[in-house]
Amino acid sequence: MAKAPVLTPQAEDFPRWYQDLINKAELADNGPVRGTMVIRPYGYGLWERMQQEMDARIKDAGAQNAYFPLFIPQSYLTREAEHVEGFAPELAVVTHGGGKELDEPVVVRPTSETIINDYFSKWVQSYRDLPLLINQWANVVRWEMRPRVFLRTSEFLWQEGHTAHASYEDARDYAARIHKDVYADFMINVLGIDVVLGRKTAKERFAGAINTLTLEGMMGDGKALQMGTSHELGTNFAKAFNTQYLSKDGKQELVWQTSWGVSTRMVGGLIMSHGDDNGLRVPPRLAAVQVVVMAIKGDEAVAKVRELGDRLKALGIRVQVDDRVDTPFGRRAVDWELKGVPVRIEIGPRDLEAGTAMLARRIPGGKEPVSIDALGELLPKVLEEDQAQLLRESRERRESRTSEVTTIEEAAEAATAGGWARIPWATLGAEGEAKLAEQAVSVRCLVAEDGSVPDADDAPGTVAIVARSY
């Protein structure tokens, strides 16, 4: 009798495969309150690496980290009408505290534009205080009706940047800088996901923004996932919170603002972009564990893997030693494969006699014996090759499953069949966007014909990317 697969095959049931992988790879569990999640150590290790890579890029862009309260007075959200209307269905509101009814209900942070603007209005006095560039790493709560671990949860982790500038042009350029130099650079060069950079339609724009820039990734099943967004807020929040500065000309002017964020949703994107029927495949530049050195059995093998682990760590490779010889080797190998560690180095008594180790590569697959002495020079090359392969696969999947269409019907058909469609925005328009929504298909973003981000929704040659999404 054939052995049952560890995971439900992707082709059989992609959502079930996703949930199986999260459970079997020990990434997360459902929390006790519907829509919440417990991120387990291995899953949190992925998020920590994402934080480290993102935080460095955010700081290179000039922003500083700060922290703002979790609880926000309900009245703050009502100051910007479009903003509160956009978030109203998702709000969690606290009405009692300390055994008493509160004088004013407080909202559990869904995003921080309002409370941060209250403080920006105090901190900004003069043009000399600008630009003010703030980022915070935090949790947020948006009550989710259809939860899915990492993708849509009522509480999730993220970073949110908030900035104030002296001019529209400065704010616009900074939002674009975050979009390209921080988010796209990280997602393409670290996550290995070939995201499309585009502009959201007016319908899909962030509540209270004048423009939203997005990064869309194609998942293994052909659906789109919004991986991150960067918003131009104009002066909407500055008006609501009276955030002004004294210009060089001695006039009181409203600041121009941006906000931008990515979240633990990226862990879900990582799983669905690179995972296969054997488990997760983690890009080497992201992996908290790039190489696991495994002793198959025997005291001498245990001593050797410990020695080798120390040697590889000294070379800057992120290594974990697995010397649990009291646990069957096959079970351990399957566990590491499920977790997607890029490289396994397996050493047993016969390998020691030959001075070799078995090199198992998770991303392209396959095993081959290599000289133990050559590993220090070989592994960095292998890891970079495998990083490049994941990005190449991501790009090839998107390109092969994206159709050029000329009608709304063709766009809906392509999206329903598990792919993306490109259709001229002049052909689709807001009316066509509404028709697609009736079939659970959305305009993910607008791009220029050459793939760049258009300056305006109605810019000549603008193309809509259409897909079903998470």
Side-chain angles (χ1 to χ4, degrees):
M1 178 179 285
K3 193 173 181 180
V6 176
L7 304 174
T8 300
Q10 288 186 0
E12 181 179 312
D13 188 335
F14 194 84
R16 180 62 181 271
W17 164 85
Y18 176 80
Q19 195 59 51
D20 282 354
L21 196 158
I22 286 172
N23 292 335
K24 297 290 179 62
E26 299 180 333
L27 300 178
D29 269 327
N30 290 316
V33 175
R34 185 178 182 277
T36 62
M37 63 177 169
V38 175
I39 306 176
R40 300 185 67 174
Y42 190 75
Y44 198 81
L46 295 173
W47 175 240
E48 282 184 312
R49 286 285 303 140
M50 292 180 182
Q51 282 184 297
Q52 291 165 15
E53 292 282 349
M54 291 292 305
D55 198 58
R57 287 166 172 78
I58 289 168
K59 286 173 178 170
D60 282 346
Q64 294 179 298
N65 286 337
Y67 187 79
F68 293 83
L70 174 67
F71 296 122
I72 301 172
Q74 192 174 46
S75 59
Y76 279 33
L77 273 78
T78 63
R79 295 193 201 179
E80 213 290 324
E82 186 179 349
H83 188 68
V84 69
E85 182 180 352
F87 278 100
E90 301 175 324
L91 297 181
V93 182
V94 179
T95 59
H96 289 73
K100 298 180 180 179
E101 185 171 355
L102 301 178
D103 293 335
E104 178 185 354
V106 297
V107 173
V108 183
R109 173 175 54 217
T111 182
S112 299
E113 277 78 9
T114 57
I115 193 166
I116 288 179
N117 266 278
D118 186 53
Y119 285 87
F120 275 13
S121 67
K122 300 174 183 177
W123 298 345
V124 174
Q125 303 297 323
S126 159
Y127 69 91
R128 296 183 183 87
D129 300 321
L130 299 173
L132 179 55
L133 313 174
I134 295 293
N135 177 65
Q136 80 164 341
W137 292 93
N139 62 335
V140 293
V141 171
R142 299 179 184 177
W143 214 254
E144 182 58 55
M145 295 297 102
R146 295 181 298 278
R148 184 174 295 181
V149 173
F150 289 123
L151 299 178
R152 291 187 177 277
T153 48
S154 295
E155 179 193 11
F156 54 90
L157 307 180
W158 78 345
Q159 60 74 211
E160 52 176 316
H162 300 268
T163 70
H165 304 261
S167 69
Y168 160 74
E169 291 78 11
D170 195 39
R172 176 201 62 196
D173 292 347
Y174 194 79
R177 179 180 181 183
I178 293 295
H179 187 225
K180 181 180 178 182
D181 296 346
V182 176
Y183 291 164
D185 180 69
F186 167 71
M187 292 173 191
I188 294 170
N189 294 315
V190 179
L191 290 188
I193 299 175
D194 192 47
V195 291
V196 170
L197 283 69
R199 176 187 181 102
K200 285 292 189 185
T201 65
K203 176 179 179 294
E204 296 290 333
R205 202 175 289 156
F206 177 73
I210 62 171
N211 182 31
T212 290
L213 304 174
T214 184
L215 303 102
E216 303 285 332
M218 180 183 279
M219 303 296 99
D221 61 351
K223 289 185 179 179
L225 183 71
Q226 179 180 292
M227 300 284 290
T229 48
S230 181
H231 315 289
E232 298 173 41
L233 302 180
T235 58
N236 290 342
F237 288 89
K239 290 174 184 175
F241 287 84
N242 197 33
T243 310
Q244 300 186 61
Y245 71 98
L246 187 67
S247 72
K248 290 181 180 179
D249 298 329
K251 297 179 181 179
Q252 287 292 327
E253 304 279 358
L254 291 170
V255 299
W256 295 80
Q257 295 182 270
T258 77
S259 68
W260 28 276
V262 295
S263 74
T264 38
R265 167 177 281 210
M266 289 194 298
V267 179
L270 173 74
I271 296 167
M272 294 193 298
S273 289
H274 299 320
D276 62 20
D277 285 347
N278 294 316
L280 188 59
R281 295 189 301 166
V282 181
R285 292 181 189 170
L286 176 75
V289 179
Q290 295 174 310
V291 176
V292 59
V293 186
M294 302 180 66
I296 297 175
K297 63 179 180 179
D299 292 342
E300 290 185 11
V302 168
K304 187 62 178 180
V305 299
R306 290 173 179 171
E307 174 198 323
L308 180 59
D310 289 340
R311 180 155 63 90
L312 296 177
K313 287 177 184 176
L315 296 174
I317 299 171
R318 295 187 290 276
V319 177
Q320 183 161 330
V321 171
D322 184 348
D323 55 9
R324 301 169 295 161
V325 292
D326 55 342
T327 300
F329 173 76
R331 181 186 301 172
R332 288 184 285 141
V334 168
D335 285 345
W336 288 118
E337 186 149 287
L338 279 166
K339 287 181 167 64
V341 171
V343 173
R344 298 195 312 273
I345 299 170
E346 303 168 357
I347 299 176
R350 292 180 183 176
D351 301 299
L352 286 175
E353 291 177 6
T356 62
M358 191 62 72
L359 179 72
R361 294 170 67 173
R362 177 66 183 90
I363 292 163
K367 289 185 178 185
E368 62 175 328
V370 298
S371 166
I372 291 176
D373 292 339
L375 285 169
E377 183 178 354
L378 178 63
L379 284 173
K381 298 177 182 177
V382 164
L383 293 171
E384 281 302 296
E385 287 175 4
D386 293 354
Q387 178 78 32
Q389 176 168 332
L390 286 179
L391 179 59
R392 185 169 60 252
E393 289 179 4
S394 174
R395 179 178 298 118
E396 289 172 352
R397 176 174 63 239
R398 179 174 58 79
E399 291 177 348
S400 67
R401 297 175 73 170
T402 299
S403 305
E404 298 285 344
V405 303
T406 57
T407 68
I408 296 171
E409 292 73 22
E410 289 173 338
E413 183 179 350
T416 304
W420 290 10
R422 286 168 49 95
I423 182 171
W425 178 244
T427 300
L428 184 65
E431 290 186 10
E433 183 178 20
K435 290 180 181 178
L436 288 176
E438 294 173 0
Q439 302 179 63
V441 175
S442 60
V443 177
R444 303 314 306 156
C445 62
L446 301 175
V447 299
E449 287 179 335
D450 63 2
S452 62
V453 180
D455 294 332
D457 293 8
D458 57 356
T462 298
V463 175
I465 305 294
V466 172
R468 287 193 166 175
S469 66
Y470 285 95

